Amino acid sequence: MRLAWSIDPLFLLFTSSTTSASYIDDELTLAIGSEIRLTPAQQRAADGLLSGMAAGGVCVLEGAAGMGKTTVLRWLRSKLGGAFVTARQFMNLLKERAPTAIEETFMEVMEAALKSQDVVLLDDLHLVTEVAQGYNYPRINLINAALSVVLSEAEARDKKVLFSMAGENELAAVRHRALSWEIDEFEAEDFACVCRRYLGEATERLDFDKIHRFAPAVNAYQIKNASFWLGLRYGEPTTESFIDHLCSAKVVVRRSEERRVGKE
């Protein structure tokens, strides 16, 4: 099957780099990849962002690490189109520049994306801004100026920008402009949804209410890793083996807590 792509400035920006393969791989994954399925908590955030993008020019998706922000952004990109920019692409460009050229590299990436697309989705903004706001960074808070310039130009050209970031949004340039949504903490049904992707029908043997009571703060990465481990080690995974793995992997710490949950 031949894919017909139009060559845009964002593509040329990354292919001019000596490390362009990762960008091309990401684009192929997005173009050919399978259907993206969200958990209920992720879907609520995604639906909110869809309405937010229709109403405003700047939106932010917040959530703790491992809650599926990248997955939500990829789902939104499948609905909205546009450019999808990752921290890896940013780093590929930055390592060919001066280490302090964070703001210039950020602006270059965003300007190239906005030039060719009406919607830009930038994943993991915090990975860029945490360095640029560190106490020993020589140009502290200059990233706010770069963000202000980029977002003002996007607004003037009637473009839309969506960021994802971990933790609270403390960037003044974004906070004053953006509509924000957060991925809620996972419930038992979210646990089941993630496991179903990796364990299939075996998921029906697991008591996710019990697992959630035992480890309510587990994130999507930890659930995925537990599912892989169960799938490799057991033909028929059980609730007890799932909890055992969470303990052995030190995702949760006290076996006494397991005994307490088992009695509830």
Side-chain angles (χ1 to χ4, degrees):
M1 181 178 68
R2 184 175 181 271
L3 297 176
W5 285 351
S6 59
I7 304 300
D8 61 56
L10 184 63
F11 178 81
L12 294 175
L13 174 63
F14 284 104
T15 53
S16 65
S17 164
T18 59
T19 53
S20 62
S22 61
Y23 171 71
I24 298 172
D25 288 345
D26 278 352
E27 288 299 307
L28 283 170
T29 299
L30 289 170
I32 308 173
S34 59
E35 179 186 0
I36 298 169
R37 297 180 182 178
L38 303 180
T39 76
Q42 292 168 349
Q43 189 66 61
R44 288 191 296 272
D47 291 342
L49 285 163
L50 273 181
S51 62
M53 291 292 282
V58 183
C59 288
V60 173
L61 173 62
E62 299 176 358
M67 296 300 288
K69 297 183 295 297
T70 299
T71 301
V72 171
L73 255 64
R74 290 190 184 280
W75 184 88
L76 287 164
R77 202 247 187 175
S78 73
K79 305 298 180 183
L80 299 170
F84 191 98
V85 182
T86 68
R88 182 173 65 177
Q89 295 161 13
F90 171 85
M91 289 302 299
N92 285 344
L93 288 178
L94 182 62
K95 69 184 181 182
E96 298 176 359
R97 292 158 172 75
T100 56
I102 291 174
E103 295 83 5
E104 292 87 346
T105 304
F106 173 80
M107 290 184 66
E108 186 177 359
V109 169
M110 290 299 293
E111 286 169 356
L114 289 165
K115 185 175 181 179
S116 63
Q117 300 290 338
D118 292 332
V119 177
V120 176
L121 303 94
L122 188 146
D123 196 21
D124 290 330
L125 177 63
H126 60 282
L127 296 181
V128 177
T129 60
E130 283 175 357
V131 176
Q133 291 187 305
Y135 73 94
N136 58 349
Y137 182 68
R139 305 192 296 182
I140 189 168
N141 288 327
L142 186 60
I143 192 67
N144 265 306
L147 279 161
S148 292
V149 170
V150 166
L151 295 178
S152 294
E153 290 182 356
E155 182 180 8
R157 293 152 63 183
D158 199 26
K159 307 277 186 168
K160 295 182 181 292
V161 179
L162 170 59
F163 299 116
S164 78
M165 56 194 308
E168 294 184 4
N169 174 18
E170 297 180 354
L171 295 164
V174 177
R175 186 175 65 249
H176 297 326
R177 286 178 166 91
L179 300 171
S180 298
W181 276 263
E182 183 176 6
I183 300 176
D184 297 329
E185 291 185 1
F186 282 177
E187 300 292 341
E189 58 183 344
D190 297 288
F191 284 23
C193 185
V194 175
C195 281
R196 198 170 290 115
R197 300 172 189 169
Y198 306 104
L199 292 177
E201 294 181 359
T203 303
E204 306 308 318
R205 304 188 186 98
L206 304 180
D207 183 347
F208 287 101
D209 288 327
K210 181 176 179 180
I211 294 170
H212 183 264
R213 289 197 306 272
F214 179 74
V218 170
N219 65 34
Y221 284 143
Q222 293 162 332
I223 299 169
K224 179 180 75 172
N225 289 339
S227 298
F228 278 143
W229 182 84
L230 287 170
L232 290 171
R233 183 159 183 176
Y234 294 98
E236 296 185 359
T238 65
T239 300
E240 290 68 29
S241 61
F242 197 105
I243 290 175
D244 281 345
H245 173 73
L246 296 180
C247 292
S248 64
K250 298 184 179 179
V251 175
V252 289
V253 289
R254 290 194 299 272
R255 286 303 188 107
S256 59
E257 193 69 10
E258 178 186 352
R259 289 193 293 272
R260 181 185 66 78
V261 172
K263 294 176 181 178
E264 291 180 359

